[in-house]
Amino acid sequence: MVLVVERTGERAAGAEPGALRADARRNRERIVLAARELFMTQGVDVSMDEVARRAGVGKGTLYRRFPDRDLLLEAVALDIYERLTVMARRAWERGPDAWSSLNGFLREWAAFRFGLANSPLCHPMREALKGNRQLRDARDVWLELFERMVREAQDDGVLRRDIGCGDIVMFMDRLVQETGAPADVADTVPARLLELLLDALRVQPGSVLPGRAITGADLNRPVSGP
């Protein structure tokens, strides 16, 4: 997926995808992928030179596509939200019911290892959302699909009522972080945790969660201090 970030009255993050040659599109995709991986693991202050090295492109190519770090950050954030939207739509179309769709979406999300709530990208993405309408719209489209799956699975009596999509976002973020597990079991830990999550989401008598359900809107509120 090739994505473009535009900021009203400001420079766009590179040319429109349709206007790029095939090799230029591939370079842009490599840059965004490399930046996403580095931003999530090392933080957004990682050097642009390192991004270029990870992407396998020259510094000149990187700066032609993304003249500054903010444009690259916004492109990464938009890429994440639009990919999540594609996953959600695909799961919705394939699933025979809302629970099956939600199940498929969460499995694909886990495979892509997108952390949104507690990764090094969390605060920068919040800041980028404030000044970028296109980014907010992309986030809202994804959340609307996600919340629809949650609500309909609850209406079907399969998903517990005291859960909101924000609860699931928080868990998924933890799921894709490094676990610190021993090397011989580390590869299986995310899959085990995902199965536990899916089991816990189903209606189970006698299980009461503290507090209230965390909604998609709650994810936009200021986070609490240490």
Side-chain angles (χ1 to χ4, degrees):
M1 179 188 304
V2 181
L3 305 168
V4 173
V5 176
E6 294 182 354
R7 294 187 289 184
T8 303
E10 301 179 17
R11 296 165 297 168
E16 292 286 343
L20 297 176
R21 301 187 312 271
D23 58 338
R25 288 198 300 272
R26 287 192 294 271
N27 284 341
R28 193 179 191 285
E29 290 170 351
R30 285 198 290 266
I31 291 168
V32 172
L33 173 61
R36 188 186 79 215
E37 293 173 346
L38 289 169
F39 288 171
M40 281 190 168
T41 57
Q42 300 182 29
V44 297
D45 292 329
V46 65
S47 74
M48 296 289 273
D49 288 354
E50 179 61 24
V51 174
R53 283 194 292 272
R54 175 71 67 91
V57 302
K59 289 187 289 184
T61 297
L62 171 61
Y63 283 104
R64 280 195 299 274
R65 298 274 75 82
F66 302 100
D68 62 56
R69 186 184 302 273
D70 287 344
L71 287 172
L72 181 55
L73 170 62
E74 291 178 6
V76 168
L78 188 59
D79 178 70
I80 290 173
Y81 286 133
E82 293 202 355
R83 285 178 184 270
L84 285 169
T85 298
V86 169
M87 292 178 197
R89 283 180 175 154
R90 182 162 51 215
W92 187 260
E93 291 168 357
R94 292 176 177 174
D97 52 55
W99 170 254
S100 297
S101 296
L102 180 62
N103 194 299
F105 171 56
L106 295 182
R107 290 182 186 281
E108 189 169 6
W109 183 352
F112 271 86
R113 301 184 63 81
F114 289 155
L116 300 179
N118 296 292
S119 77
L121 262 175
C122 175
H123 181 70
M125 283 178 68
R126 285 177 179 269
E127 291 301 310
L129 282 164
K130 293 178 181 178
N132 189 316
R133 176 61 180 273
Q134 184 184 11
L135 192 55
R136 292 197 302 274
D137 288 346
R139 185 273 318 272
D140 291 346
V141 168
W142 162 61
L143 276 178
E144 182 178 353
L145 287 167
F146 190 11
E147 290 190 312
R148 181 182 175 187
M149 280 189 274
V150 169
R151 289 193 305 269
E152 295 205 10
Q154 289 170 332
D155 291 342
D156 290 342
V158 181
L159 180 66
R160 53 193 300 166
R161 287 276 181 188
D162 55 350
I163 283 288
C165 74
D167 291 298
I168 303 175
V169 169
M170 295 292 183
F171 192 98
M172 292 298 291
D173 184 75
R174 295 299 186 185
L175 179 67
V176 302
Q177 302 300 313
E178 294 298 326
T179 63
D184 60 333
V185 297
D187 289 344
T188 65
V189 168
R192 288 173 60 85
L193 293 179
L194 179 59
E195 293 305 323
L196 285 171
L197 168 65
L198 293 171
D199 283 346
L201 289 176
R202 297 178 69 93
V203 172
Q204 296 184 15
S207 178
V208 179
L209 295 181
R212 65 171 178 81
I214 301 171
T215 68
D218 288 327
L219 299 178
N220 295 322
R221 299 181 184 278
V223 296
S224 60

